[in-house]
Each structure stands twice: as C-alpha cells, then as structure tokens.
Amino acid sequence: ILNVEQSPQSLHVQEGDSTNFTCSFPSSNFYALHWYRWETAKSPEALFVMTLNGDEKKKGRISATLNTKEGYSYLYIKGSQPEDSATYLCALNTGFQKLVFGTGTRLLVSP
Amino acid sequence: DAGVIQSPRHEVTEMGQEVTLRCKPISGHDYLFWYRQTMMRGLELLIYFNNNVPIDDSGMPEDRFSAKMPNASFSTLKIQPSEPRDSAVYFCASRGLGAFFGQGTRLTVV
C-alpha cells in the first residue's frame, strides 16, 4: 500500500508569516504530484500538478517544489492571509489515473 | 486503524445496471465526503455528511445518484441506472484531525 505523508498535521500562524509544509511519497512510484487546497464544504481546488524533478511552480503567494529522487515536495505560502486558512492536500499519481492522498496539513492563519 | 476503506476497488458494469459503492470511515471521524474524479473535471464534491446527516448534496449530478449513511461506520453511494458518463474514480474521505481518503473505486460503465 502506497503511503503519502504530510507534515505537520496542523499549523497555526499569524497573518503575514510565511510558512511551508511537506509531502513525502515513495519515489519509486512517481508519475505526478498534485497539490490541492481544500475547504470543508467545497471541492478541493487544484493548485499545482508537478511532474519533473526540480520543478518549481508558483501561483500568487503560493509556490511548490518537487524532488522526485528523494520523494518529497514542499508547499510554501509567503505572507499568509486569513483567507489562506484551509487544509492543503497532496496526492500522488502513480500513472494509473488514480490519486493516493496524504492526510493534509490544516492551516489556520490568525489576523 | 486501517484507514478509510472503500469497496469494491474496481467495478465494471453495463449501462442501466445499479451500482453501489461502499465506504467505511475512520472510527470517530464526524465528517464523511464522497468525491468523483475525472480527467475533465478533476475532483468534484458530490455530497458530505456530518454526524451521519447529509449536509450538502448539491454536487450530486442528478437523481440517479443517491447516498446514505445509516450509521457512523458505513456509507453508500448508489447509481441507478448507471450510464457510461458515470465512469470515474469515486473517493470517500473522512475527516477528524486530519483528512483521510480511501483508495477509491474505479467505476467503468460500458
């Protein structure tokens, strides 16, 4: 069974702080890595799809990096805002069109 | 805990047949979600429950889809009658301190 791990499980920061969290996965099963932003009553919002070792992607204040050889990806948020509060999920795509999800990092940004 | 358990893992059925997908959430989690994943639309929230009560089913595509959660340890998603466009991967997730997704059910309707 594939294991995708995210850390920390939860994070509480102040508005304006920059933060980052980690997604770890077995490097031997890699096809693509997805990052999602998830608010409870909504569909997860796709942030990034990353496929190449060394990939760096950016969307506004959020960016992500990928290391497929060592099996990890980092998500960074620069200057956190209260509206960034959500659960951030990563999911491993092993190439069979099905995603294996991590348990998420729940971020709370206080004003 | 074995995590969120979905069954079956794969289902191939003929158009018009009834399909029932099953989910066992993690004990103690008070939220349960059903999602559908397709290449075209990504992950779509179909319905979610809080303490076994359906809270929002606005994502359920049409009357052919129904979901139940008779108790805290079991939920079903039923499609009757099934159509080829229902082919997708269906995920169940439960949420406590963390979000836990099942391995998904790959449904193919031919």
Side-chain angles (χ1 to χ4, degrees), chain A residues 81-103:
Chain A
Q81 299 297 308
E83 57 265 30
D84 296 329
S85 298
T87 296
Y88 291 82
L89 292 164
C90 73
L92 178 67
N93 183 339
T94 59
F96 295 102
Q97 303 306 323
K98 202 158 91 170
L99 301 176
V100 179
F101 286 89
T103 55

Side-chain angles (χ1 to χ4, degrees), chain A residues 1-2 9-10 36 38-44 86-87 89 93 96-104 106, chain B residues 9-10 31 33 35 37 39 43-45 48 56 89 91 93 95-101 103-106:
Chain A
I1 295 178
L2 289 177
Q9 188 177 57
S10 63
Y36 291 91
W38 184 36
E39 293 181 65
T40 298
K42 300 180 182 177
S43 296
T87 296
L89 292 164
N93 183 339
F96 295 102
Q97 303 306 323
K98 202 158 91 170
L99 301 176
V100 179
F101 286 89
T103 55
R106 184 181 284 189
Chain B
R9 295 284 302 278
H10 303 274
Y31 281 92
F33 306 83
Y35 288 93
Q37 181 209 346
M39 292 295 290
L43 263 181
E44 302 172 276
L45 176 63
Y48 79 95
D56 185 352
V89 180
F91 284 101
R95 181 166 174 168
L97 289 178
F100 291 80
F101 281 72
Q103 292 186 290
T105 295
R106 184 189 300 281

Side-chain angles (χ1 to χ4, degrees), chain B residues 12-110:
Chain B
V12 180
T13 191
E14 290 184 345
M15 183 172 66
Q17 296 297 307
E18 177 180 294
V19 175
T20 300
L21 311 181
R22 297 173 178 80
C23 175
K24 182 180 187 306
I26 290 175
S27 176
H29 282 190
D30 52 2
Y31 281 92
L32 183 139
F33 306 83
W34 281 101
Y35 288 93
R36 176 170 68 176
Q37 181 209 346
T38 61
M39 292 295 290
M40 295 294 293
R41 293 186 297 271
L43 263 181
E44 302 172 276
L45 176 63
L46 300 176
I47 185 172
Y48 79 95
F49 297 83
N50 180 217
N51 293 321
N52 313 340
V53 177
I55 302 301
D56 185 352
D57 65 355
S58 58
M60 297 283 262
E62 45 199 273
D63 292 345
R64 297 185 296 107
F65 285 68
S66 62
K68 294 182 180 179
M69 192 165 185
N71 56 60
S73 60
F74 184 63
S75 177
T76 59
L77 178 69
K78 187 176 290 187
I79 309 172
Q80 166 64 17
S82 58
E83 296 182 4
R85 61 193 167 119
D86 301 331
S87 299
V89 180
Y90 291 80
F91 284 101
C92 171
S94 71
R95 181 166 174 168
L97 289 178
F100 291 80
F101 281 72
Q103 292 186 290
T105 295
R106 184 189 300 281
L107 174 64
T108 304
V109 183
V110 297

